[in-house]
Amino acid sequence: MRARHLQSWGRYPAVSQIGHRIEWRDRLARDYSLLKEKFGTVLPYGNGRSYGDSCLARSDHVLQMRSLCRFIAVDWVRGVVRAEAGVTLGEVLALALPKGWFLSVTPGTRFVTLGGAIANDVHGKNHHVRGTFGRHVRSFHLLRSDRGGVVCSPDVEIELFRATIGGLGLTGVIEWAELQLIPVKSGFMESSTQRFDSLAEFYSLSEQLDKTHEYTVAWVDSLAGGAATGRGVFMAANHSEEGGLKVSPPGAVSVPLTLPVSAINRISARLFNSAYFSLHRGGPKRSHQRYDIFFYPLDRLHDWHRIYGPRGLQQFQCVVPEHNAEAATRELLRSIKKSGDASFLAVLKKCGSLPSPGLLSFPMPGTSLALDFAHSDTLNAPTFPRLDAIVREAGGRLYPAKDAHMSAQDFRSFYPEWAQVEALRDPALASRFWDRVTET
């Protein structure tokens, strides 16, 4: 095992982790046992794409799983792939797309590992059609300090399966996972983009386009006010039947270093938002584009989080239930505009009603709003408490994978099944997030 220093993607809280690299599956049990004996508790760590402290160990020592990146078995007739937990979604696509298969669900980055996708039960632009990532996990092998290896599936070790889907890496170390893919005829998308002038217009477009498109999502101008509150750009797409099955390579442009101060502030965000909104004037624009351009626009700029400066960023992502989603979302956007904190990475999406198998899964039928903020002294007080109160009163919840501030009271209210996960938690696994949100 070789050690290296690691952080969360948001770099807030500013806590460094000592990563102990796991090289081989047949040594995982031995290495896990040695680290448990030495440090008391540890935590699995994938490719470092979690924003807050859910990937930070209580002991600050993590099992670095990225080196477990081998495929174990594939079935191109049924579209089933079994791979080690450190394989990324991009690596699954690189193998599967030329064979005519695609990920059933993908988040906004291809650099998430399989273990991380399961632990956070990630969702994507087709939640209204296919639900969360966990719905498409056929099985996985879990290594526990108190039981050894356990194979879990929707039919075997059901309680442990449900606790692990969205369980933040606390129920055991995922060694491998088996996924169900979906068939496609091309690596291209038929997409439609059009801007909307208000939040009411977003809901009208979503009602119409969710029925005819597998993938829908919107960028929203978080700084627009008055009648323009919630204005933005709506994007919808389906898989194309033309264009071939060529894999798109990851972008080569990278932010070479962390900027001395954040490039994201109210002035730069307002300029960007105005320019981006103006760029999409006119009627719907249809295009035939590569899958990576539609699904992974930020992946084209490696290490983009460095533009937020040495203090890092915090993401706020919530979901509010359908019956009062429009009113709550409007109030959230108004509060953000008043706060003085700026975000230009603001994503609005209606979630569907398909249930996830995970006990701590985030989506619910309603509207999800996600925003990235450069960390500042005003975020944790008063901005986030005000936003939290709106979510709480609306009956919504926050996303643990993106969180670095949620109170223990809110977490236990948002996720009442947390106690079941705690009862099934591997005693050798503990995170800073879990300590924070389950403290009494």
Side-chain angles (χ1 to χ4, degrees):
M1 291 183 293
R2 290 175 292 171
R4 57 176 293 198
H5 289 274
L6 304 165
Q7 292 178 299
S8 70
W9 185 251
R11 297 184 175 184
Y12 179 86
V15 176
S16 181
Q17 303 286 283
I18 304 299
H20 302 270
R21 185 172 297 177
I22 306 300
E23 303 281 358
W24 302 97
R25 270 185 294 139
D26 59 4
R27 298 179 185 175
L28 175 59
R30 182 203 68 178
D31 292 347
Y32 183 23
S33 179
L34 289 173
L35 292 170
K36 177 193 70 172
E37 292 300 318
K38 187 172 183 179
F39 303 113
T41 61
V42 290
L43 191 71
Y45 183 101
N47 204 26
R49 286 313 194 268
S50 294
Y51 282 69
D53 56 1
S54 65
C55 64
L56 303 180
R58 173 197 293 167
S59 65
D60 295 331
H61 288 268
V62 295
L63 303 171
Q64 192 176 354
M65 303 294 291
R66 178 68 181 100
S67 295
L68 290 187
C69 56
R70 303 166 188 89
F71 289 88
I72 300 170
V74 295
D75 181 342
W76 297 130
V77 175
R78 296 185 300 151
V80 175
V81 169
R82 179 178 292 189
E84 292 177 334
V87 169
T88 65
L89 300 187
E91 288 166 345
V92 173
L93 281 175
L95 184 71
L97 184 58
K99 302 295 185 180
W101 296 93
F102 203 84
L103 294 162
S104 299
V105 170
T106 180
T109 174
R110 72 179 100 187
F111 297 127
V112 174
T113 63
L114 294 185
I118 293 170
N120 296 290
D121 197 17
V122 298
H123 56 280
K125 299 175 178 68
N126 63 344
H127 184 268
H128 63 291
V129 175
R130 301 190 188 271
T132 66
F133 192 87
R135 289 178 58 90
H136 308 279
V137 176
R138 293 169 53 91
S139 63
F140 51 79
H141 187 272
L142 203 62
L143 179 64
R144 289 182 59 96
S145 65
D146 56 355
R147 291 182 57 185
V150 184
V151 174
C152 303
S153 76
D155 304 309
V156 178
E157 294 283 350
I158 301 171
E159 288 186 358
L160 195 52
F161 180 83
R162 295 188 66 213
T164 303
I165 302 291
L168 304 171
L170 295 167
T171 60
V173 182
I174 299 173
E175 183 178 320
W176 55 257
E178 186 173 279
L179 303 179
Q180 179 63 59
L181 307 177
I182 58 172
V184 294
K185 295 183 178 179
S186 134
F188 282 75
M189 311 297 295
E190 301 296 342
S191 68
S192 173
T193 303
Q194 65 186 99
R195 79 179 193 181
F196 51 91
D197 296 318
S198 66
L199 194 59
E201 192 175 343
F202 160 80
Y203 280 99
S204 177
L205 282 172
S206 186
E207 178 68 22
Q208 171 192 348
L209 296 176
D210 281 2
K211 297 175 182 177
T212 56
H213 293 80
E214 170 140 357
Y215 304 98
T216 57
V217 71
W219 166 85
V220 61
D221 183 352
S222 64
L223 296 178
T229 297
R231 73 177 186 177
V233 179
F234 200 100
M235 292 152 274
N238 289 311
H239 289 282
S240 177
E241 296 190 359
E242 300 178 353
L245 294 167
K246 185 177 179 180
V247 175
S248 299
V253 179
S254 179
V255 180
L257 50 82
T258 300
L259 300 184
V261 295
S262 174
I264 309 304
N265 53 54
R266 198 166 182 85
I267 296 174
S268 62
R270 187 175 296 281
L271 290 172
F272 172 86
N273 288 1
S274 296
Y276 190 73
F277 186 73
S278 297
L279 182 66
H280 291 87
R281 62 166 54 92
K285 297 179 175 63
R286 292 175 173 80
S287 64
H288 177 76
Q289 60 183 181
R290 299 197 318 261
Y291 70 89
D292 61 308
I293 295 175
F294 181 77
F295 289 108
Y296 312 122
L298 284 178
D299 283 355
R300 299 162 70 188
L301 181 62
H302 291 187
D303 296 319
W304 59 264
H305 59 163
R306 292 175 174 173
I307 67 175
Y308 284 86
R311 301 190 70 185
L313 70 144
Q314 289 194 65
Q315 182 164 113
F316 179 92
Q317 184 165 4
C318 68
V319 59
V320 289
E322 198 165 18
H323 68 274
N324 58 0
E326 184 172 347
T329 302
R330 180 175 286 104
E331 187 60 27
L332 285 166
L333 291 170
R334 286 173 175 168
S335 184
I336 292 165
K337 176 176 170 54
K338 291 178 183 177
S339 72
D341 293 300
S343 170
F344 66 75
L345 295 176
V347 178
L348 198 58
K349 161 72 185 168
K350 281 187 68 177
C351 296
S353 58
L354 292 173
S356 166
L359 296 178
L360 299 183
S361 292
F362 162 72
M364 66 169 66
T367 300
S368 170
L369 176 65
L371 308 103
D372 288 349
F373 297 95
H375 176 66
S376 70
D377 295 335
T378 61
L379 274 181
N380 291 334
T383 299
F384 282 169
R386 290 173 181 165
L387 301 182
D388 294 350
I390 296 169
V391 173
R392 188 187 312 124
E393 291 167 9
R397 56 190 178 217
L398 306 181
Y399 190 13
K402 305 290 183 72
D403 178 71
H405 78 276
M406 188 180 355
S407 71
Q409 182 178 358
D410 275 347
F411 175 77
R412 293 194 293 266
S413 174
F414 296 157
Y415 297 95
E417 293 177 302
W418 73 271
Q420 293 176 244
V421 175
E422 171 61 19
L424 291 168
R425 181 173 63 86
D426 187 325
L429 299 177
S431 70
R432 285 175 173 264
F433 172 87
W434 199 250
D435 284 354
R436 171 167 60 84
V437 299
T438 61
E439 65 181 0
T440 55

